Amino acid sequence: MALAALSGWTGEQKHVVAASFLGWSLDAFDFFLLVFVLKDIAAEFHTDISNVTLAILLTLAMRPIGAFIFGRAADRWGRRPTLMIDILLYSILEFASGFAPSLTVLIILRALYGVAMGGEWGVGASLTMESIPPHAAASSPACSSRVIPPAISWHRSSMACSSRTLAGAACSWSA
C-alpha cells in the first residue's frame, strides 16, 4: 500500500521531497551539534555552560519569527525560491558560527540561524505537499508518516556517527 503511493512520481517531485527532507535534517543536525559542543564552546570563551545555552534558547525562540517571515515570503514569491534562499541563509549562518570571535557574536549568529531554521520546515512541508501527486498526499497526511520519522532517524544516526568520530580526534568546535 505504501509503495503504491510512491508510484508515478516525476523526477522533480522526488527532488522536492529529497530537498525538503535534507533541508530539515541538516538544520536539525546543526542545531543538535551545538548541544554536543557546549562544554567546548564555554571553555573557548572562558564562560559557564549556562551562558552558552542562551544560544540554544534564542535559536528556538526565533523559529516562530522565521516561520512567519519565510511563510509570507513563500506566499509572495513562491515556495521554491524562498526555500532555496532559506537553506542558503542558514548554511551561511551555521558556517559563520564556526568563526565567531566572541560569545556575543556566536549568540547573535545562532539567533539569526533560528530565524532561518524556523522558515525551513513550513516552506519545505508546503512545497512538498504541493508537489507530490494527489494520491500520495492523500495516503500520507503532511508527509509526516513517510518523511519526518526517517529524517529524525537520519539526523540522529548521523549525529551519533559524527560525535564518535570527533570524540576520538583532537579538534576544536570552531574553525
Side-chain angles (χ1 to χ4, degrees), residues 19-38:
S20 296
F21 171 86
L22 289 173
W24 183 82
S25 296
L26 293 173
D27 79 4
F29 176 87
D30 179 76
F31 174 77
F32 285 106
L33 187 62
L34 183 68
V35 174
F36 286 122
V37 295
L38 284 173

Side-chain angles (χ1 to χ4, degrees), residues 43-162:
E44 178 81 20
F45 293 126
H46 310 292
T47 189
D48 293 332
I49 291 176
S50 61
N51 293 332
V52 181
T53 60
L54 179 60
I56 295 171
L57 172 73
L58 290 178
T59 299
L60 292 175
M62 299 300 279
R63 287 177 62 192
I65 295 168
F68 178 76
I69 292 169
F70 284 99
R72 298 288 292 179
D75 288 342
R76 183 174 178 123
W77 294 296
R79 309 233 189 283
R80 184 178 309 256
T82 302
L83 183 61
M84 291 167 62
I85 289 168
D86 183 53
I87 291 173
L88 180 65
L89 179 62
Y90 84 65
S91 298
I92 290 168
L93 290 167
E94 71 184 335
F95 181 75
S97 295
F99 294 95
S102 69
L103 181 60
T104 302
V105 172
L106 178 67
I107 288 171
I108 291 167
L109 287 169
R110 298 311 292 185
L112 293 172
Y113 176 81
V115 173
M117 185 180 184
E120 202 284 328
W121 166 251
V123 177
S126 298
L127 180 61
T128 298
M129 292 308 291
E130 290 172 357
S131 300
I132 63 175
H135 70 277
S139 67
S140 178
C143 279
S144 60
S145 64
R146 304 286 192 278
V147 175
I148 303 309
I152 292 170
S153 298
W154 182 82
H155 88 73
R156 285 187 180 162
S157 297
S158 59
M159 284 302 302
C161 292
S162 297

